[in-house]
Amino acid sequence: MRNLKLFRILEFGDIQAPGKPQCFSLRTEQGTVIIGSEHGLMEVDPVTREVKNEIPLVAEGFLPDDGSGCIVGIQDLLDQESVCVATASGDVILCNLSTHQLECVGSVASGISVMSWSPDQELVLLVTGQQTLVMMTKDFEPIMEQKIHQDDFGESKFITVGWGRKETQFHGSEGRQAAFQMQMHESALPWDDHKPQVTWRGDGQFFAVSVVCPETGARKVRVWNREFALQSTSEPVAGLGPALAWKPSGSLIASTQDKPNQQDVVFFEKNGLLHGHFTLPFLKDEVKVNDLLWNADSAVLAVWLEDLQREENSTLKTYVQLWTVGNYHWYLKQSLPFSACGKSKIVSLMWDPVTPYRLHVLCQGWHYLCYDWHWTTDRSSGENSSDMANVAVIDGNRVLVTVFRQSIVPPPMCTYRLLLPHPANQVMFFSHPKKSNDLAILDASNQVSVYKCDDSPSVDPTVRLGAVGGNGFKVSLRTPHLEKRYKIQFENSEDQEVNPLKLSLLTWIQEDIFLAVSHSGSSSQSVIHHLTMTPSETDDEQGQLNISSSVTVDGVIISLCCNSKTKSVALQLAGGQILKYLWESPSLAVAPWKNPDGVPVRFPYPCTQTELAVIGGEECVLGLTDRCRFFINDNEVASNITSFAVYDEFLLLTTHSHTCQCFCLTDASFKTLQAGLGSSHMSNGETLRKVERGSRIVTVVPQDTKLVLQVPRGNLEVVCHRALVLAQIRKWLDKLMFKEAFECMRKLRINLNLIHDHNPKVFLENVEVFIRQIDSVNHINLFFTELKEEDVTKTMYPPPVTSAVQLPRDPEGRKVDLICDAMRAAMENLNPHKYCLSILTSHVKKTTPELEIVLQKVHELQGNAPPVPDAVSAEEALKYLLLLVDVNDLYDHSLGTYDFDLVLMVAEKSQKDPKEYLPFLNTLKKMETNYQRFTIDKYLKRYEKAIGHLSKCGPEYFPECLNLIKDKNLYNEALKLYPPKSQQYKDISIAYGEHLMQERLYEPGGLVFARCGAHEKALDAFLACGSWQQALCVAAQLHLSRDQLAGFGRSLAGKLVEQRKHRDAATVLEQYAQDYEEAVLLLLEGAAWEEALRLVYKYNRLDIIETNIKPSILEAQKNYMAFLDSQTATFIRHKKRLLVVRELKEQAQQVHLDDDVSRGQESDLFSETSSVMSGSDMSGKYSHSNSRISARSSKNRRKAERKKHSLKEGSPLEDLALLEALNEVVQGTEKLKDEIHQILKVLFLFEFDEKGRELQKAFEDTLQLMERSLPEIWTLTHQQNSAAPVLGPNSTANSIMASYQQQKTSVPVLDAELFIPPKMNQKTQWKLNLLE
């Protein structure tokens, strides 16, 4: 759905040269044109407008002096830097343009009618006057000569075995004699010049020749291959014209055919059979086709036509028409009318071989024209809902308009057609935002037809409906009507006669003002014209467009774009400069367009599509070249863009990677756009989506979600881009348009949680509005069923730009409940009968489904159905409820209501067998109420409720209740059901205590026993857990005798000694067994020196000091000294070994790295498998990722964890084992500080000063040794080195893999705490200064 738009015009008129031009050729590398006349050759430069070379051929005798000479062909030879010229007299001349040297390389006595070079310039084909074909090499060595007329069909002759012969077919009313009628051959057309025509295929492997057969007088097309072998002859075609053009892509050969009532362009296949056609928009014998020309990429077919003389005084014209094809329909995109007489008559034309859409035209008055075209999509530019998303397609004197807002009509069909008196050349929509549906059309006669979409009741005959309406269907479309046609009044009519496209880039900028650009034919300047509508005196007369003002710009303007919002107009010059046209100012000035830094913007390459957009608050120029390079101002953002469109705050682009990307321009920047386009995968799913290969953007429907794409074969594809969809939904939700948002989300499968999560506060405040707008029970239920606690604005649909203001959110886990409660309240307020099913759904969808309430409401419906038209019956409600909830769950909940009518109602809807549930229900009905409910609750496994009902049944049911309490561990719940002084309470407490004793929870069990008065059991429990105070309290309540209490005290003391609680054991012996001597011994055993001395002096047994205390103190000092010596020796040994192990590991690592560096040249020879295997070999037997050991039990795993650090020399984890051992030594020594301080005090007290000093000095030396060694053992650098892989310029794949493997095996994550040094508290006062 694209049109050809004029990109630029290069014009060189009034070339001063003798004679008349006959043909021309292009020198693409030099950018010059070689023109041949009856006097010679002339090389001109159309850009600088100067003559480069003049080479006369008359003086050398190649052309006659009388001006009757004719040049039949010119070809620029790139590799020889020469031009090959063929004359009608038969000379083939090689002309060197730099030296002006002429060389006749061949001559044909009979003359030459055609000279045609192959596309690769390796072969040249001559058609002689004797109707022969001569093929030569590029060095003009003859290869072969053949007669142009051949009797044979060719090598591709069809083979037939007689099936389906014409004689055997049924011929209807014509009768059998029709099978034997001889085919009549029609002669060539009257205006046929009978000259041969030659055309080559794009790859140069085949060429076709069109000649008039001397026998039949009709034209035939013969196809030859590169080896000069005839391949095929065309089938007889009546009225075949002389024009011939082989499509460069190689599929079809174009020619013309006169039919009884029309003239067609027909296509032949390589085998000579017809394959398709299209009709030219002229009557029979009105025009003749001079030539057909395909452009370089086979997209455009140029048809050169000329009027035939009908009346004596009629003005004849020549036409150049540009045709394109899409969806098997041929469109006439451009029509250029020239005069057929005088200096504006076309002599020759050709497509540029390098630039596909550049057309060169040479006129008889030495006037050269060069047209550059490019593809454009003409679409309306409105951004509100009144814009109908119109796209206009030019098709000759029809403009096909498709209204994408109402219907997606695939081309070549359309919504409606606008009929014009002349072929259209340009379509433009009004740039006003509110009148964007109005359009104007510039046709080939320089008339502008203005169509407006307003409320005009009249039917316009120039507007015909297309694929919508008709056949009795009512059309709901508002079609435009023709307001008036305006004729453009030019200041200089003489120039207009030569160049039919005087004005280009026509833009409808204001209600009665158009902007247009014209180019100077004598200088590199452009003029911007303001065309003002001048209405005629009567409505029927044609209006005029007068040039009210003009502005001259230095440079060639190649594009003009307008922003409908800001009214800015940007101009692009051929050199890439961007200018800002201040068309609203009185001075009509032109100023450079500057970027935010104040630097003038300049595109590095000319852009065929330009747009204006506001990016990050700054208005920027966007440009796309024909090489898919995309620019924003002068920054190249991407180089793989095939099309783009700006809509509202969005920029949409299609890429070569078959994706469509959408970016929000509100807070965007060049860097974010460049990063987004450079990445093929985006974390945000809104931005990118896959599209069909080769898709291009046609339009975006404003205030909607539709993006229309066109694929290369011509058909349309409508997608709803996620970014557009979510942006539109957010706009609707902000405007409280819940119905539109809901319908869109339901259709496009957007999670409905977004309706709430977009703005929870606003939604909860407008719940009633939401329900009124949706107004459908089914849709409200759908909304309920999709609710979940997840905030979709943080997971599925994050906003494109994170706003600084965070909207208040509901407390965690309360979202669904809040919505259900709010909507249920609103529905009950509006119409509880209409929304009955939705109200039930709101109960079911809560975090904890309120099924009992739901069942109760259904039961109420069954009892008394409301007499309301839209009320729901209990049957319908229950049937709907079974869709939401499993029937078995519903049956259980109905049973839990203890309402048997409700149970029967649900059971009837389930798949349960009545033989199963009816006996059960009958049994329940016979029971006492509390026991009945107990049975139901036990069946439903609601044991807490069950024991509550059973406790009300009486004491005879208590054993059953106690058994249930024991089975289900419901002791705490059961204790609340009985008074504390009752026997049942005591029985439950005893059972509870015994349960805790079985679980080895002795102290809680003892407390339970003590509370209920079971003192014997409490005593055993406290004795088992060592709670001696509680045990003695309970023993006192048992009223034990003195001897029994003493025996109990000794037993208790023994238990405490086992638990290393010597002080507590001594207290029990002294106070309850009256055995202070044994108490003193226990205190000495527990190193409680001061407490032992207290008892000695309390009972005045000073002899114990000499017999027990002093020997114990000396023995303890000796043991401490031996322990410190052992700890010091162990610490020093482990420390030395750790340093050795670390040094060995560093050496091994360096050797491995050096070995890899030395093998760097060979490292590429090793496969990835070898590198992985080398890493796994290092791990040895400690790598168990694929072994059975990974499935070991947790107990064995803990056991293995304890064993994994081995102090055995050479083990893989020896360094970790040494660190662990050193850590234990330091912590064990640190814990001795308090004990050392206590023994130092008693050593000083009993005058063992030497022993005390010795112990104090040894302990101090040990602590200082450890403190000095801590930084050496737990080094930060070693920790970092062990955790970091070996990287760098000298590393290889093998070394990096090995280092990672070593890191994995040597430093497990679980052992990270081993690298933290132990803490030694310097503030602990353990020293005794009296011993200094």
Side-chain angles (χ1 to χ4, degrees):
M1 303 189 70
R2 297 185 295 171
N3 298 321
L4 280 177
K5 188 174 184 179
L6 188 60
F7 191 51
R8 62 182 291 182
I9 302 176
L10 190 60
E11 190 172 355
F12 187 12
D14 299 329
I15 302 172
Q16 300 301 319
K20 294 182 179 181
Q22 296 175 342
C23 58
F24 73 107
S25 179
L26 304 175
R27 300 191 74 191
T28 54
E29 290 188 352
Q30 290 78 11
T32 58
V33 180
I34 302 169
I35 304 174
S37 67
E38 66 266 29
H39 296 286
L41 299 179
M42 179 176 290
E43 182 182 10
V44 298
D45 188 343
V47 177
T48 59
R49 291 177 171 79
E50 61 181 1
V51 178
K52 307 284 285 187
N53 281 308
E54 287 189 52
I55 302 173
L57 297 179
V58 176
E60 300 292 335
F62 295 114
L63 292 174
D65 295 337
D66 58 359
S68 61
C70 179
I71 295 177
V72 297
I74 305 175
Q75 180 66 46
D76 177 43
L77 304 179
L78 298 176
D79 56 346
Q80 301 183 28
E81 296 184 358
S82 302
V83 174
C84 180
V85 182
T87 64
S89 59
D91 293 329
V92 180
I93 308 160
L94 200 61
C95 175
N96 191 315
L97 293 178
S98 58
T99 62
H100 290 204
Q101 182 179 356
L102 298 175
E103 178 186 359
C104 182
V105 294
S107 182
V108 180
S110 60
I112 298 174
S113 58
V114 177
M115 179 185 71
S116 179
W117 285 77
S118 65
D120 56 5
Q121 293 191 354
E122 293 291 330
L123 300 174
V124 60
L125 187 69
L126 301 177
V127 181
T128 69
Q130 293 181 344
Q131 298 292 299
T132 61
L133 296 174
V134 179
M135 183 178 285
M136 296 186 292
T137 66
K138 64 179 180 179
D139 299 323
F140 304 100
E141 296 178 1
I143 299 175
M144 190 179 296
E145 183 176 359
Q146 296 252 16
K147 289 184 179 181
I148 200 169
H149 303 290
Q150 299 282 333
D151 296 331
D152 188 21
F153 179 86
E155 294 180 358
S156 302
K157 184 177 181 180
F158 303 112
I159 299 174
T160 176
V161 294
W163 295 340
R165 287 184 303 170
K166 191 171 184 180
E167 292 84 355
T168 64
Q169 303 303 307
F170 176 69
H171 298 280
S173 61
E174 294 182 3
R176 190 168 183 272
Q177 62 273 14
F180 303 98
Q181 290 179 356
M182 296 298 293
Q183 185 173 358
M184 299 299 294
H185 294 281
E186 296 187 12
S187 60
L189 297 172
W191 47 265
D192 195 336
D193 56 6
H194 288 68
K195 290 182 180 179
Q197 297 289 334
V198 179
T199 180
W200 288 82
R201 199 170 78 172
D203 58 0
Q205 297 299 313
F206 296 92
F207 64 89
V209 182
S210 174
V211 292
V212 176
C213 180
E215 298 176 357
T216 63
R219 274 200 176 264
K220 285 187 178 181
V221 178
R222 290 186 174 89
V223 178
W224 310 70
N225 66 5
R226 194 180 180 91
E227 286 73 30
F228 222 164
L230 180 64
Q231 296 299 299
S232 62
T233 304
S234 66
E235 61 178 301
V237 177
L240 189 64
L244 195 68
W246 200 321
K247 197 174 183 179
S249 60
S251 55
L252 297 173
I253 305 169
S255 184
T256 61
Q257 181 187 9
D258 263 21
K259 292 185 178 179
N261 297 311
Q262 63 191 36
Q263 190 167 3
D264 290 353
V265 174
V266 296
F267 300 102
F268 290 95
E269 296 180 357
K270 186 171 70 72
N271 58 12
L273 298 179
L274 286 172
H275 184 95
H277 71 278
F278 66 87
T279 303
L280 295 173
F282 295 98
L283 300 175
K284 180 174 173 59
D285 298 331
E286 185 179 356
V287 294
K288 66 176 181 178
V289 179
N290 288 338
D291 204 358
L292 299 172
L293 301 100
W294 291 97
N295 74 327
D297 65 356
S298 304
V300 183
L301 177 64
V303 183
W304 175 15
L305 307 106
E306 187 176 340
D307 281 340
L308 294 174
Q309 185 74 38
R310 283 188 158 187
E311 300 175 1
E312 293 183 2
N313 297 326
S314 62
T315 303
L316 301 182
K317 287 189 177 182
T318 305
Y319 308 94
V320 177
Q321 295 185 342
L322 304 184
W323 293 80
T324 64
V325 66
N327 260 13
Y328 301 99
H329 176 78
W330 284 89
Y331 298 87
L332 174 56
K333 292 297 183 184
Q334 291 287 328
S335 181
L336 283 65
F338 292 82
S339 176
C341 57
K343 65 178 184 179
S344 61
K345 179 181 179 181
I346 296 177
V347 173
S348 179
L349 73 155
M350 68 171 60
W351 287 103
D352 195 280
V354 177
T355 307
Y357 298 101
R358 178 172 292 171
L359 182 65
H360 304 271
V361 180
L362 180 64
C363 296
Q364 191 169 349
W366 292 94
H367 206 98
Y368 166 80
L369 295 167
C370 177
Y371 298 100
D372 278 0
W373 312 91
H374 71 88
W375 291 111
T376 183
T377 302
D378 294 311
R379 51 179 171 251
S380 56
S381 58
E383 293 182 354
N384 53 19
S385 57
S386 63
D387 183 87
M388 303 303 291
N390 302 296
V391 175
V393 179
I394 294 174
D395 186 13
N397 58 356
R398 305 180 306 167
V399 174
L400 314 179
V401 181
T402 303
V403 181
F404 283 106
R405 178 174 293 280
Q406 292 204 342
S407 59
I408 308 299
V409 181
M413 296 184 290
C414 61
T415 307
Y416 55 83
R417 300 184 298 272
L418 306 179
L419 304 183
L420 304 170
H422 303 282
N425 282 342
Q426 189 179 344
V427 178
M428 67 231 73
F429 286 91
F430 192 15
S431 60
H432 194 282
K434 296 182 180 179
K435 299 182 179 180
S436 57
N437 297 315
D438 299 347
L439 74 157
I441 304 163
L442 174 65
D443 60 28
S445 65
N446 286 311
Q447 288 186 24
V448 175
S449 303
V450 176
Y451 285 84
K452 291 194 174 182
C453 288
D454 50 23
D455 298 326
S456 175
S458 60
V459 178
D460 193 338
T462 65
V463 181
R464 301 281 180 86
L465 289 175
V468 297
N471 298 327
F473 288 97
K474 184 180 178 181
V475 181
S476 61
L477 178 69
R478 190 176 63 181
T479 57
H481 69 279
L482 176 64
E483 186 188 51
K484 192 174 282 295
R485 301 193 199 276
Y486 297 89
K487 181 71 176 178
I488 300 177
Q489 297 298 318
F490 293 97
E491 297 174 356
N492 190 346
S493 60
E494 185 180 354
D495 291 341
Q496 164 62 15
E497 293 178 2
V498 180
N499 179 16
L501 300 181
K502 178 67 175 176
L503 296 180
S504 62
L505 305 177
L506 202 64
T507 305
W508 194 356
I509 196 75
Q510 208 169 341
E511 185 72 34
D512 56 347
I513 295 178
F514 290 87
L515 294 183
V517 176
S518 66
H519 302 280
S520 173
S522 58
S523 62
S524 297
Q525 288 184 331
S526 300
V527 182
I528 306 173
H529 302 285
H530 282 234
L531 305 178
T532 305
M533 296 181 188
T534 304
S536 58
E537 296 179 359
T538 61
D539 293 340
D540 298 335
E541 290 184 9
Q542 190 180 55
Q544 291 184 354
L545 276 177
N546 297 321
I547 298 176
S548 59
S549 58
S550 301
V551 178
T552 304
V553 178
D554 290 332
V556 179
I557 298 175
I558 60 175
S559 73
L560 185 151
C561 58
C562 172
N563 190 332
S564 59
K565 284 185 177 179
T566 62
K567 299 295 184 181
S568 301
V569 174
L571 311 173
Q572 180 190 185
L573 302 184
Q577 300 92 339
I578 305 297
L579 304 178
K580 189 170 187 177
Y581 181 44
L582 307 175
W583 64 276
E584 290 182 306
S585 66
S587 60
L588 297 178
V590 176
W593 190 286
K594 296 183 179 181
N595 61 16
D597 298 330
V599 180
V601 175
R602 178 172 184 169
F603 285 151
Y605 303 94
C607 293
T608 56
Q609 181 186 355
T610 55
E611 298 278 353
L612 291 175
V614 179
I615 302 178
E618 293 286 340
E619 191 169 20
C620 303
V621 184
L622 282 61
L624 179 65
T625 70
D626 54 353
R627 298 288 182 179
C628 303
R629 306 180 77 165
F630 184 63
F631 296 92
I632 299 179
N633 285 346
D634 43 9
N635 298 315
E636 183 173 356
V637 179
S639 59
N640 65 335
I641 305 302
T642 56
S643 66
F644 79 94
V646 177
Y647 160 65
D648 201 7
E649 73 268 21
F650 290 101
L651 171 64
L652 294 106
L653 310 102
T654 56
T655 67
H656 276 311
S657 55
H658 323 306
T659 60
C660 179
Q661 300 193 38
C662 183
F663 297 96
C664 182
L665 300 178
T666 307
D667 297 300
S669 64
F670 299 131
K671 291 183 178 180
T672 56
L673 290 174
Q674 199 163 11
L677 289 168
S679 173
S680 60
H681 175 74
M682 299 295 290
S683 58
N684 189 351
E686 292 185 26
T687 305
L688 182 143
R689 68 158 290 156
K690 290 285 186 182
V691 293
E692 192 171 340
R693 181 184 296 269
S695 298
R696 295 175 185 269
I697 296 174
V698 175
T699 189
V700 183
V701 181
Q703 301 297 320
D704 203 339
T705 61
K706 287 184 287 194
L707 168 65
V708 184
L709 304 169
Q710 187 170 27
V711 295
R713 60 181 176 272
N715 60 308
L716 300 179
E717 185 178 70
V718 179
V719 299
C720 295
H721 199 290
R722 183 55 57 88
L724 296 178
V725 171
L726 294 177
Q728 188 59 46
I729 290 172
R730 292 182 183 115
K731 290 178 183 177
W732 280 329
L733 293 177
D734 290 337
K735 297 177 183 178
L736 301 183
M737 299 170 65
F738 294 112
K739 182 176 179 61
E740 291 80 358
F742 184 88
E743 291 294 340
C744 176
M745 296 170 76
R746 189 172 68 93
K747 182 171 64 175
L748 300 178
R749 304 299 297 272
I750 304 294
N751 195 295
L752 296 177
N753 282 270
L754 184 61
I755 296 176
H756 168 269
D757 296 341
H758 175 68
N759 194 330
K761 183 174 181 293
V762 171
F763 175 79
L764 293 174
E765 290 174 353
N766 296 276
V767 164
E768 197 165 315
V769 178
F770 172 73
I771 295 171
R772 288 182 186 275
Q773 288 187 14
I774 300 299
D775 198 33
S776 169
V777 175
N778 291 335
H779 290 173
I780 295 174
N781 292 342
L782 178 65
F783 174 72
F784 275 128
T785 53
E786 282 205 19
L787 287 178
K788 54 184 177 180
E789 295 294 344
E790 174 189 349
D791 185 357
V792 295
T793 60
K794 295 179 180 178
T795 55
M796 299 174 68
Y797 313 118
V801 179
T802 305
S803 58
V805 181
Q806 293 291 330
L807 296 173
R809 297 288 170 183
D810 300 326
E812 193 67 30
R814 290 192 53 218
K815 166 187 159 183
V816 176
D817 292 349
L818 279 174
I819 297 174
C820 290
D821 293 341
M823 291 190 64
R824 182 173 61 254
M827 288 185 290
E828 289 175 347
N829 184 35
L830 289 173
N831 190 340
H833 304 299
K834 176 181 177 181
Y835 300 110
C836 176
L837 297 182
S838 299
I839 293 172
L840 297 180
T841 310
S842 68
H843 285 291
V844 174
K845 282 302 294 181
K846 293 192 73 171
T847 309
T848 303
E850 299 172 343
L851 295 181
E852 289 85 356
I853 300 176
V854 170
L855 290 168
Q856 199 60 43
K857 289 191 174 185
V858 173
H859 190 47
E860 291 173 1
L861 286 175
Q862 190 180 27
N864 47 352
V868 183
D870 53 359
V872 179
S873 66
E875 186 81 10
E876 294 173 341
L878 187 60
K879 189 176 180 181
Y880 169 74
L881 203 57
L882 292 175
L883 297 174
L884 300 178
V885 187
D886 181 63
V887 64
N888 294 319
D889 293 341
L890 205 59
Y891 175 80
D892 291 343
H893 278 85
S894 63
L895 194 61
T897 62
Y898 316 118
D899 188 338
F900 291 104
D901 294 337
L902 194 59
V903 175
L904 283 172
M905 185 177 67
V906 175
E908 289 172 356
K909 295 294 180 183
S910 69
Q911 300 296 322
K912 292 180 177 293
D913 188 356
K915 294 181 180 179
E916 295 180 2
Y917 66 81
L918 284 179
F920 176 64
L921 295 179
N922 291 330
T923 305
L924 290 175
K925 288 181 179 179
K926 298 175 182 177
M927 297 179 181
E928 187 267 334
T929 302
N930 286 322
Y931 194 77
Q932 178 194 82
R933 295 186 175 183
F934 157 73
T935 308
I936 292 174
D937 289 330
K938 186 179 178 182
Y939 172 78
L940 298 177
K941 298 181 180 179
R942 301 190 301 191
Y943 299 111
E944 294 184 20
K945 286 188 175 182
I947 60 174
H949 290 300
L950 192 57
S951 64
K952 300 175 184 178
C953 292
E956 65 271 13
Y957 292 100
F958 178 72
E960 186 177 357
C961 182
L962 185 60
N963 291 332
L964 183 60
I965 292 169
K966 291 180 179 179
D967 289 341
K968 306 302 175 184
N969 294 332
L970 300 173
Y971 299 102
N972 286 325
E973 293 78 2
L975 289 173
K976 299 173 185 177
L977 301 174
Y978 294 96
K981 301 299 182 180
S982 63
Q983 183 61 36
Q984 292 90 343
Y985 186 89
K986 184 174 182 180
D987 293 343
I988 294 173
S989 298
I990 291 174
Y992 189 19
E994 290 174 351
H995 169 70
L996 293 174
M997 293 290 287
Q998 290 175 0
E999 297 292 328
R1000 297 182 179 274
L1001 301 173
Y1002 299 113
E1003 188 170 10
L1007 293 173
V1008 171
F1009 285 134
R1011 179 175 174 177
C1012 70
H1015 298 302
E1016 294 85 356
K1017 293 180 180 294
L1019 187 62
D1020 294 338
F1022 288 134
L1023 194 61
C1025 68
S1027 180
W1028 60 276
Q1029 293 95 336
Q1030 291 284 1
L1032 290 171
C1033 293
V1034 173
Q1037 296 181 47
L1038 289 174
H1039 305 291
L1040 298 178
S1041 63
R1042 186 180 184 85
D1043 293 338
Q1044 287 176 333
L1045 189 59
F1048 176 70
R1050 291 184 183 279
S1051 175
L1052 183 58
K1055 290 277 188 183
L1056 293 173
V1057 169
E1058 291 176 2
Q1059 298 173 8
R1060 303 189 65 81
K1061 298 179 180 179
H1062 295 86
R1063 287 178 177 269
D1064 295 340
T1067 302
V1068 171
L1069 286 177
E1070 180 209 355
Q1071 295 182 3
Y1072 291 92
Q1074 283 78 37
D1075 190 352
Y1076 63 87
E1077 293 182 359
E1078 188 65 28
V1080 170
L1081 295 179
L1082 288 180
L1083 290 171
L1084 294 177
E1085 183 181 347
W1089 316 108
E1090 294 178 344
E1091 182 67 15
L1093 284 173
R1094 185 185 71 82
L1095 290 182
V1096 167
Y1097 283 104
K1098 176 183 178 181
Y1099 293 101
N1100 199 18
R1101 288 292 306 275
L1102 302 181
D1103 56 306
I1104 297 179
I1105 294 176
E1106 297 295 335
T1107 57
N1108 296 93
I1109 293 180
K1110 287 184 178 181
S1112 295
I1113 292 172
L1114 294 176
E1115 181 68 23
Q1117 189 267 352
K1118 183 179 178 182
N1119 291 338
Y1120 280 128
M1121 289 297 297
F1123 178 73
L1124 290 176
D1125 291 342
S1126 172
Q1127 291 288 81
T1128 304
T1130 301
F1131 185 84
I1132 294 173
R1133 185 174 71 253
H1134 287 345
K1135 173 189 168 186
K1136 289 181 179 179
R1137 179 59 188 169
L1138 178 63
L1139 298 178
V1140 172
V1141 169
R1142 286 178 177 174
E1143 185 176 358
L1144 290 175
K1145 282 202 170 188
E1146 290 177 1
Q1147 291 176 0
Q1149 193 174 9
Q1150 189 63 36
V1151 168
H1152 184 71
L1153 183 61
D1154 293 342
D1155 186 43
D1156 277 341
V1157 171
S1158 65
R1159 292 186 302 167
Q1161 300 297 328
E1162 305 174 4
S1163 61
D1164 291 339
L1165 301 176
F1166 296 99
S1167 66
E1168 294 181 1
T1169 308
S1170 65
S1171 65
V1172 174
M1173 286 301 294
S1174 65
S1176 61
D1177 290 342
M1178 290 184 63
S1179 65
K1181 63 184 180 180
Y1182 292 93
S1183 178
H1184 298 295
S1185 61
N1186 294 322
S1187 64
R1188 292 175 58 194
I1189 201 169
S1190 61
R1192 71 180 78 181
S1193 65
S1194 58
K1195 180 179 179 181
N1196 291 338
R1197 194 179 299 115
R1198 288 194 300 271
K1199 187 176 180 182
E1201 289 290 333
R1202 289 195 298 270
K1203 289 184 176 181
K1204 69 178 180 178
H1205 297 159
S1206 173
L1207 287 172
K1208 183 179 178 181
E1209 291 188 5
S1211 63
L1213 304 179
E1214 185 184 358
D1215 54 345
L1216 294 185
L1218 290 169
L1219 279 177
E1220 188 176 18
L1222 288 168
N1223 198 338
E1224 291 175 357
V1225 170
V1226 173
Q1227 291 181 353
T1229 307
E1230 177 73 14
K1231 291 177 182 177
L1232 287 178
K1233 286 184 177 180
D1234 189 54
E1235 297 181 22
I1236 296 293
H1237 183 66
Q1238 295 298 329
I1239 196 172
L1240 287 177
K1241 289 195 291 185
V1242 293
L1243 284 172
F1244 178 79
L1245 183 63
F1246 292 114
E1247 300 178 355
F1248 298 124
D1249 293 1
E1250 290 300 326
K1251 297 289 184 181
R1253 290 192 188 95
E1254 182 183 7
L1255 179 59
Q1256 184 166 296
K1257 180 68 168 61
F1259 191 57
E1260 186 175 14
D1261 292 343
T1262 303
L1263 290 177
Q1264 289 178 355
L1265 170 66
M1266 293 180 180
E1267 289 173 0
R1268 289 195 307 269
S1269 303
L1270 284 183
E1272 191 176 354
I1273 297 171
W1274 284 276
T1275 58
L1276 183 62
T1277 56
H1278 177 73
Q1279 178 181 356
Q1280 292 174 345
N1281 291 337
S1282 62
V1286 179
L1287 301 172
N1290 296 327
S1291 61
T1292 64
N1294 287 344
S1295 66
I1296 294 172
M1297 186 68 190
S1299 66
Y1300 272 109
Q1301 193 69 31
Q1302 184 176 4
Q1303 173 194 355
K1304 179 181 176 182
T1305 56
S1306 61
V1307 189
V1309 178
L1310 296 175
D1311 299 326
E1313 67 272 7
L1314 296 179
F1315 291 99
I1316 302 174
K1319 294 182 180 179
M1320 298 186 70
N1321 194 352
Q1322 306 285 345
K1323 297 180 180 180
T1324 303
Q1325 298 295 329
W1326 63 271
K1327 290 178 67 175
L1328 192 64
N1329 295 329
L1330 297 173
L1331 293 174
E1332 290 291 341

